Every structure is written in C-alpha cells, then in structure tokens.
C-alpha cells in the first residue's frame, strides 16, 4: 500500500511509515494498518512521546487514534496544521508499526527463566521433574501430560511449581498477565494511560480482592459461578484462533514470512540486579503462542468474544481492551519480546477474526513495574488496599459477597449502630419500589396483551400501522411492528434491476478522497474501487422509495420477545399535520 497521497506534506518515508514534521516540532506518523484500505495515524509531541488528542478552541478534544481512511488522514493532518495554539495531551496508547527498531525494544541480558511445562509434555519430560512436581500433572490424549486449570491457577501460578517455602526455587508471591489489570485502579499508570473513551479499570476484580487472594485466600468464601463454559471455550478454540491468525496474516502480508508455534512453558522474568539477584521474581507468564515474523520473535494472545461481551464493540473497532493490553505488556516484559499480536475470534468463520499489533512500550512498562512493586509491598506488609478509583460498583459488591460467605445457620446477628438506620430504610424503600414496579409491569403487560389480542390484531392483520379517529381534529396512530435497526435488502438484485437508483443511494468510504483520486490517478482509483465496494444507504433508500424497496426487502422473520411486545401509540392532531 503506497503513501503517495501524503506527498504534499513532504514526508520522510522509511519502509511503510511516513513521518511528517510540523513547524512547532510535533510529528505525525502514518502507516498502513492491518486492515486493507485503512491507515494508523500516530501523533507525537516534540519529545517523541505519543499523543492521542489535541485541544481545539471550539470543538474540544479530538481523538487521533484508531484506523482512518486516506481522506480522513488528510483531513486530520489539515486540522493539526491549522491549529496555532493547540496543546497536546501526552497519553500513551498501543502504536501499530511505529517505525521504532524492534531490536531497540529487546533488553540485553534479560533472557526469561524457563520453568515448568504446562501442557504437551511427554513422559520423558515429566520424568525430569522432582516427584512433588510430577504429582501436579494430569494426562489426556489431546494435551498429553498437562496441568489442569485448577492446579495451574490455584497452585503453580501462586508460588511456582515448588510449593515448599524453603526451596530456593519457591516464589513468595506472583502476578500473572491476566491479573495485572486488577492493580490498575488508582495507580500512576491509570492517570496517564488512555486507550479509548469509556475505559475502565480491572475487568475481573478489585485490587483488594486480588490482595486477599494472596494474603488470606481462605477469607474468600464464595466463588464465581458460570465462568467454566467461558474458560472451556477459550481453551478449546485457542488452536483455532492461532490457525486463523496465521492464515489471515499470510493473506494480508504475503511479503512476510511467519511461523506460529506453541511454547507450553511457564516463564519467570529474568531481569537481575548488579548482584545477579532477580529484580522482579513475582512476574510470571505463559504465552498462548510464540510467533516469528521475518526472523523477529514475538508473541500471540488468542481470545474469543461472546456476543454479549462489553469488549465486543472495541474488538469490532480494532481497539484492544485495556486488560488485554496490560496483559501483553506484562508478557513482553517477562519474556523480553519487542511485539505482540492479539487475535480475537468474534464469530466462527475466519472473516470474523480481528487481530491487533502491539509494540513493547517502555514508558508503560516502567509504570506497570511500579504498580506491581507497590502491590507486592502491600502484600508483604499485609496492608489492605483501599477502594480508590475502583469501578464498577459490582466489583466492590462482589468482594463483600465473597468475603461474607454463604448463608449460615449459626452466625450471630450483627447489631449495627442506629445512625445507619436511614440507609437501611433507603434500601427497604428501593426494594419495595422495585417489587411494586415489577408487579405493575406484569399487570400492565397482561392488560395490554388482552386488548391487543381481542380488539386490535383481529382488525389490523398483517399491517404495520393503523389509525383510529378520535374526532375531526385528531386521531391515534398505532405502530405494532418495529423497524429493524439494520434494514437488509437483496443488494445484488437491486443493483442489477435498478442500477441508477443503486448508484444514487450508494457511497464509497471516504467518498471525497475517491472522487479526487479518480481525477488524479484513474489507475489507482480502479484499484481503490476493486478493494472497496459501494455501500448502500438502505434506510434512506427505503424511506424515499418504500414501494420499490418492498420488492428487495429481506425481512427478519425470527419472532423475539421484543417483537412480541412491540406496540406504540401516538396521539396526532390534524392541525399539526397540515402545518408540516
């Protein structure tokens, strides 16, 4: 993919990265993204620190991260160039193909310590371990000798494979990659790292709950249910995600050589002080896959995403969720790797795979290390963390529910000071209102159902709407079927039957750029057209030409509870209609 469209900015082009330097020292780097036809814009200040936003007088903060079409890149660069007094906000975010030498992202003399085989171990491999470690392994035809999830998470990830505190290989406390986001809330890193709007702290638990799991796990008397299927799905589909990633990467980057292989070992960070002692012994990791691209070793994290997941909208935009970004930064620190890919399967076919490139970021890494050291200090001194900046509230409630334990027949009644009575009364009132409203909703839905089935639907039949005259000046309009969020038409047939109408209601992505390109470079425009199919504005087409659209409409015939209960009544005055 070429970067000639940036020529008017006099860029310095190195490989597939174009660097543009503005008069005030700020830099914009443009590079092809992993999605064809899109580009990543990396905006930096005069000290080469990443920036995601700049301040405008009228429009507030404008984000400059994510994937942009060529025209959007040009418009954004024009916006930057036109600002006389903008103030950059130094926030750090994952930068795709920033042009930094990958060699510079690998620390000298920091080889990780290879510890334990987690899966795919042969009998000879297991025989090399001491009897106490051999006892940890289970066997299955699919995974050979391996550690089950409960042994790995409950034993080995807590202290390493050697459980005797007197053993020099015993690790007093550990933090894995999936744990690190639980330390984020209230940390120095949380005040500087911003990946996307609406970013939240740890995805799984509060810092206090994680702390308690280290110092007094017996006090966590309840376990979360319902996650077994999610974990099973992730493990079962991990090889599929890895294969899909390799397949799709080769298609997208035919000029690259890539190897994807499973390294089933657990690793410990090998960074040492001047005396040869481990500086960060608590940092552990095991990678889903190791990858080698053009001779450079990196890592691959494999994810799956359910439709109901709050992370799904982020994946679909090509944005890595915070907890996964911190997880792979932890892995790069532990394994001393310069880059990582995260691949997420959002459906079942290969086209539903999203993969995102992340480079090692030493600024983030330093703050992550600080975050980990501060947590280790709290653990070793038995100092309970507070709930500073914790969210959502469900995680704090989860902590209290887990520590309070299940219902007991013998627990004493706790007497709470009378000053709390108003709060208890508030809960009682809220509970009563919820119960009352739920009952009212059921009664009202039942009444509406009775009227609809006995008096309305027999008269309306298959129609979507009906009107009922009130008097000479007004009427009711009843809508019984909701318009789907996305109208589906047989676009191929419509384009064949009504080519002019299809063209009129279709637009190319970055249409201004496409028209300009058609004048300047017809050959490149032809390639652009081949790569980007016109997108039909179905809603506008249906609104303007409902009779024609009816012939090509592909209705959604699945009856859902929402469709069952869809019914809207609108009061209309004829005078208002005449005025419009």
């Amino acid at each position: 993919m070429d970067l000639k469209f940036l020529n008017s900015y006099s860029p310095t082009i190195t490989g597939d990265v174009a660097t543009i330097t503005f008069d005030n020292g700020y830099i914009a780097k443009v590079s092809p993204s992993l999605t064809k036809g899109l580009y990543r814009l990396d905006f930096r200040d005069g000290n080469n620190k990443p920036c995601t936003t700049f301040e405008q007088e009228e429009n507030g903060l404008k984000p400059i991260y994510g994937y942009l079409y060529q025209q959007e890149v040009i418009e954004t660069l024009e916006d930057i160039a036109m600002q006389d007094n903008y103030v950059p906000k130094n926030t750090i975010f994952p930068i795709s193909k920033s042009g930094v030498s990958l060699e510079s992202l690998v620390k000298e003399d920091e080889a990780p310590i290879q510890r334990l085989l987690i899966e795919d171990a042969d009998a000879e491999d297991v025989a090399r371990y001491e009897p106490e470690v051999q006892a940890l392994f289970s066997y299955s035809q699919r995974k050979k000798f391996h550690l089950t999830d409960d042994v790995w998470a409950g034993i080995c990830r807590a202290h390493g494979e050697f459980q005797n505190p007197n053993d020099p290989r015993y690790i007093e406390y550990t933090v894995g990659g999936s744990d690190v986001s639980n330390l984020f809330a209230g940390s120095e890193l949380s005040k500087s790292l911003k990946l996307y709007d609406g970013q939240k702290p740890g995805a799984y638990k509060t810092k206090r709950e994680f702390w308690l799991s280290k110092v007094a796990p017996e006090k966590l008397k309840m376990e979360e249910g319902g996650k077994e299927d999610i974990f099973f799905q992730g493990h079962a589909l991990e090889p599929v995600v890895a294969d899909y990633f390799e397949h799709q990467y080769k298609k997208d980057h035919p000029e690259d050589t890539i190897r994807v292989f499973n390294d089933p070992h657990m690793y410990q960070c090998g960074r040492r002080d001047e005396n040869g002692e481990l500086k960060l012994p608590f940092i552990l990791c095991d990678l889903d896959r190791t990858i080698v691209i053009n001779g450079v070793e990196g890592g691959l994290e494999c994810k799956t995403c359910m439709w109901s997941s709050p992370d799904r909208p982020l994946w679909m935009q090509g944005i890595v969720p915070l907890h996964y970004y911190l997880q792979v930064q932890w892995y790069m620190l532990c394994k001393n790797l310069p880059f990582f890919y995260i691949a997420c399967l959002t459906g079942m076919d290969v086209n539903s795979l999203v993969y995102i490139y992340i480079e090692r970021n030493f600024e983030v890494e330093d703050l992550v290390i600080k975050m980990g050291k501060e947590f280790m200090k709290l653990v070793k001194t038995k100092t309970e963390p507070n709930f500073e900046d914790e969210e959502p509230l469900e995680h704090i409630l989860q902590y209290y529910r887990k520590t309070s334990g299940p219902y007991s027949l013998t627990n004493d009644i706790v007497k709470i000071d009378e000053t709390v009575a108003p709060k208890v009364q508030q809960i009682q009132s809220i509970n009563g209102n919820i119960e009352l409203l739920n009952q009212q909703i059921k009664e009202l839905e039942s009444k509406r159902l009775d009227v609809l089935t006995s008096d309305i639907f027999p008269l309306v039949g298959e129609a979507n709407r009906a009107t009922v005259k009130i008097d000479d000046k007004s009427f009711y309009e009843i809508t019984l079927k909701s318009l789907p969020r996305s109208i589906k038409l047989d676009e191929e047939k419509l384009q064949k039957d009504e080519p002019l109408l299809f063209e009129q209601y279709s637009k190319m992505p970055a249409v201004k750029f496409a028209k300009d390109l058609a004048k300047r470079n017809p050959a490149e425009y032809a390639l652009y057209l081949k790569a980007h199919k016109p997108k039909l504005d179905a809603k506008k087409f249906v609104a303007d030409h409902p009779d024609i659209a009816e012939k090509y409409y592909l209705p959604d015939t699945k009856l859902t509870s929402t469709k069952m209960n869809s019914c809207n009544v609108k009061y209309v005055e004829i005078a208002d209609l005449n005025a419009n």
Side-chain angles (χ1 to χ4, degrees):
M1 189 180 297
D2 87 48
L3 299 164
K4 291 179 181 177
F5 70 98
L6 299 172
N7 281 349
S8 61
Y9 292 91
S10 302
T12 301
I13 298 181
T14 306
D16 59 357
V17 179
T19 302
I20 300 162
T21 304
F22 294 96
D23 292 341
N24 54 11
Y26 288 91
I27 298 169
K29 291 186 178 182
V30 182
S31 55
S33 76
L34 300 176
T35 306
K36 291 181 179 178
L38 293 173
Y39 291 82
R40 169 73 76 179
L41 178 59
D42 168 16
F43 182 48
R44 294 173 171 244
D45 68 12
N47 296 317
N48 202 33
K49 290 184 178 179
C51 309
T52 59
T53 58
F54 65 89
E55 192 171 309
Q56 295 174 298
E57 277 186 15
E58 298 177 359
N59 300 326
L61 295 176
K62 177 170 182 175
I64 314 176
Y65 62 89
Y67 298 122
L68 305 175
Y69 287 107
Q70 290 185 6
Q71 178 62 25
E72 294 172 309
V73 172
I74 291 172
E75 290 173 353
T76 305
L77 292 175
E78 288 174 351
D79 286 344
I80 296 171
M82 289 171 62
Q83 300 304 311
D84 294 325
N85 297 305
Y86 68 85
V87 180
K89 303 295 181 183
N90 290 332
T91 51
I92 305 165
F93 68 108
I95 305 161
S96 175
K97 298 187 183 252
S98 65
V100 174
S101 167
L102 292 179
E103 186 179 1
S104 69
L105 300 180
V106 179
K107 297 274 191 179
E108 291 185 15
D109 303 322
E110 266 195 26
I113 301 168
Q114 182 175 290
R115 291 190 64 112
L116 180 67
L117 265 169
I118 297 170
E119 61 183 19
D120 290 338
D122 294 320
E124 309 86 69
D125 296 318
V126 177
R128 295 189 188 101
Y129 293 122
E130 297 176 18
E132 65 184 279
V133 179
Q134 292 182 29
L136 300 174
F137 282 86
S138 298
Y139 181 81
S140 72
Q141 285 187 323
R142 185 166 67 91
K143 287 186 175 182
K144 300 184 182 179
F145 288 97
H146 65 282
L147 303 183
T148 58
D149 286 346
D150 56 336
V151 170
W152 161 236
I155 299 176
C156 298
R157 195 166 65 175
H159 301 290
E161 64 271 39
F162 298 97
Q163 299 299 297
N164 183 353
N166 296 320
D167 192 304
R169 295 162 294 185
Y170 175 85
I171 309 172
E172 187 177 9
Y173 297 106
T174 67
V175 177
S178 58
D179 300 322
V180 68
S181 67
N182 301 319
L183 313 181
F184 183 77
S187 68
E188 186 178 337
L189 181 63
S190 69
K191 297 172 177 60
S192 62
L193 178 66
K194 184 176 185 296
L195 302 182
Y196 50 85
D197 292 337
Q199 175 177 299
K200 295 185 182 300
Y204 308 111
K205 61 188 71 170
T206 65
K207 190 185 305 182
R208 189 183 294 187
E209 182 180 332
F210 184 47
W211 171 87
L212 198 61
S213 72
K214 298 293 181 183
V215 300
E218 69 280 359
K219 291 186 178 181
L220 293 171
K221 302 168 186 174
M222 303 281 283
E223 295 182 358
E224 292 176 71
K227 289 195 171 183
E228 296 84 359
D229 290 344
I230 297 175
F231 290 144
F232 174 78
Q233 173 183 299
H235 287 312
L237 292 178
E238 183 181 303
V240 176
V241 177
D243 288 345
Y244 275 16
F245 167 77
E246 183 175 12
H247 170 79
Q248 196 62 38
Y249 187 92
K250 286 178 177 178
K251 282 180 63 178
D252 295 342
H253 305 274
E255 71 284 358
D256 288 351
T257 59
I258 179 172
R259 293 168 54 219
V260 180
F261 56 92
N262 188 23
D263 179 358
H265 285 90
M266 177 173 73
Y267 289 93
Q268 185 178 19
C269 182
R271 184 173 298 186
R272 299 179 184 273
D273 60 21
E274 60 276 5
N275 299 318
E277 297 294 325
L278 290 177
K279 294 178 70 174
L280 305 168
F282 58 89
I283 296 180
L284 292 185
C285 79
D286 62 289
L287 310 188
D288 289 342
R289 293 295 185 274
T290 297
I291 59 178
V292 178
I293 298 178
N294 299 330
V296 181
E297 183 180 341
L300 172 67
E301 182 68 15
C302 301
K303 301 294 183 186
T304 58
C305 183
M306 294 186 172
W307 280 91
S308 58
S309 170
D311 290 335
R312 184 176 178 80
L314 299 174
W315 290 121
M316 302 310 291
Q317 296 176 69
I319 298 173
V320 57
L322 167 70
H323 41 292
Y324 297 140
Y325 176 67
L326 294 176
Q327 180 180 1
V328 298
Q329 289 292 342
W330 194 256
Y331 287 168
M332 284 186 278
L333 162 62
C334 183
K335 275 279 281 172
N336 196 23
L337 295 174
F339 73 92
F340 234 87
Y341 277 96
I342 300 185
C344 180
L345 196 61
T346 62
M348 286 307 297
D349 64 296
V350 71
N351 294 319
S352 69
L353 183 80
V354 177
Y355 64 95
I356 301 171
Y357 172 87
I358 298 177
E359 283 179 359
R360 187 174 183 178
N361 187 316
F362 289 130
E363 293 181 48
V364 170
E365 184 175 296
D366 289 344
L367 291 174
V368 165
I369 291 171
K370 184 176 181 181
M371 195 166 73
K373 286 181 174 179
E374 289 172 349
F375 178 72
M376 282 296 113
K377 184 177 179 180
L378 294 176
V379 170
K380 291 177 180 180
T381 60
K382 303 295 189 291
T383 304
E384 189 174 38
N386 58 31
F387 283 130
E388 180 187 4
D389 295 331
E390 291 284 4
E391 58 175 306
L393 289 175
E394 285 84 352
H395 287 172
I396 300 178
L397 179 61
Q398 172 183 284
Y399 166 81
Y400 284 122
R401 291 291 189 190
K402 285 184 176 181
T403 53
S404 65
Y407 188 88
S408 171
L409 298 175
T410 58
N411 276 355
D412 294 333
I413 295 176
V414 176
K415 293 184 178 181
I416 301 176
D417 188 88
E418 61 184 14
T419 56
V420 185
K423 295 296 182 182
V424 177
Q425 184 181 20
Q426 185 180 6
I427 293 175
Q428 181 192 35
S429 176
I430 292 171
N431 284 346
N433 287 335
I434 290 174
E435 186 177 348
L436 179 62
L437 289 172
N438 283 335
Q439 184 59 38
Q440 288 177 346
I441 288 171
K442 289 179 182 178
E443 292 173 358
L444 291 171
E445 285 180 341
S446 179
K447 288 181 181 179
R448 183 177 66 181
L449 179 65
D450 183 34
V451 176
L452 284 172
T453 54
S454 61
D455 300 306
I456 304 299
F457 265 107
L459 302 176
V460 173
E462 295 182 0
N464 295 322
R465 294 185 297 175
T467 58
V468 179
K469 182 179 178 181
I470 300 173
D471 50 41
D472 292 340
K473 296 181 180 180
S474 59
F475 62 90
Y476 289 123
E477 181 180 85
I478 310 171
T479 304
L480 296 171
K481 302 175 187 178
S482 59
L483 192 67
R485 291 182 179 180
S486 58
I487 297 175
K488 294 184 179 180
L489 301 175
D490 188 338
E491 295 187 17
E492 189 174 335
K493 191 171 187 302
L494 174 61
Q495 188 174 18
K496 182 179 178 181
D497 296 349
E498 302 283 353
L500 295 179
L501 268 178
F502 184 87
E503 184 179 357
Q504 179 184 345
Y505 286 90
S506 297
K507 59 182 179 179
M508 298 290 293
V511 65
K512 288 191 291 184
F513 159 75
K515 288 179 179 178
D516 182 54
L517 184 63
K519 296 176 184 177
R520 292 188 290 104
N521 192 329
E524 190 174 337
Y525 178 61
L527 293 174
Y528 179 81
L529 288 178
K530 189 176 180 180
H532 299 79
K533 292 183 179 179
K535 185 176 181 181
L536 180 71
D537 189 342
K539 280 198 172 182
K540 192 171 189 316
F541 176 75
V542 170
D544 293 350
H545 303 281
D547 295 338
I548 299 176
E550 181 71 23
K551 302 175 187 177
Y552 305 94
Y553 179 50
L554 300 174
D556 181 2
T557 56
K558 186 176 181 181
L559 186 60
T560 63
S561 59
T562 302
K563 291 175 184 174
M564 282 280 290
N565 290 293
S566 179
C567 179
N568 186 45
V569 176
K570 182 180 176 182
Y571 173 77
V572 182
E573 291 192 1
I574 297 174
D576 293 338
L577 291 177
N578 293 335
N580 293 330

